Amino acid sequence: MVAVRLPTVLRPFAGGAERVEIEAGGEPTVASVFAALEAQHPALRRRLTDEQGAIRRHVNVYLGNDNIRDLDGLDTKLPAEAELLILPSVAGG
């Protein structure tokens, strides 16, 4: 099981959920968890990934304290009971 924590701005696209648990069999990766997350909540797809399936540049995904961009990106393997935190960048002044 992999948990995905969503910020307030993304919760309406996941039925209001703050945390979504994804059943991850085998050796889950960020890509496989995102595919399952987007299958459960299709409205998240446009907000997380682009047309090619890459994480949008304004979206940061953390595994523990590490941004997955500093690891293996979407190919980052996830340990059992992993928790991902999705944080979109917020602009403003």
Side-chain angles (χ1 to χ4, degrees):
M1 192 69 70
V2 174
V4 181
R5 290 183 36 215
L6 299 171
T8 304
V9 70
L10 292 177
R11 291 176 194 166
F13 306 105
E18 175 182 348
R19 178 183 164 114
V20 177
E21 298 210 353
I22 303 295
E23 186 66 42
E27 288 189 57
T29 63
V30 175
S32 67
V33 168
F34 266 41
L37 178 66
E38 291 173 346
Q40 286 181 20
H41 303 286
L44 283 173
R45 179 170 288 132
R46 289 186 42 230
R47 284 140 188 100
L48 300 179
T49 55
D50 63 19
E51 294 75 23
Q52 288 77 38
I55 294 177
R56 292 191 178 277
R57 61 186 171 97
H58 68 275
V59 174
N60 294 298
V61 180
Y62 291 89
L63 174 60
N65 293 327
D66 297 313
N67 189 322
I68 64 161
R69 292 182 204 287
D70 299 329
L71 301 172
D72 290 325
L74 287 171
D75 294 327
T76 301
K77 289 184 177 26
L78 302 174
E81 304 301 318
E83 182 172 271
L84 295 174
L85 172 62
I86 299 174
L87 289 176
S89 298
V90 178

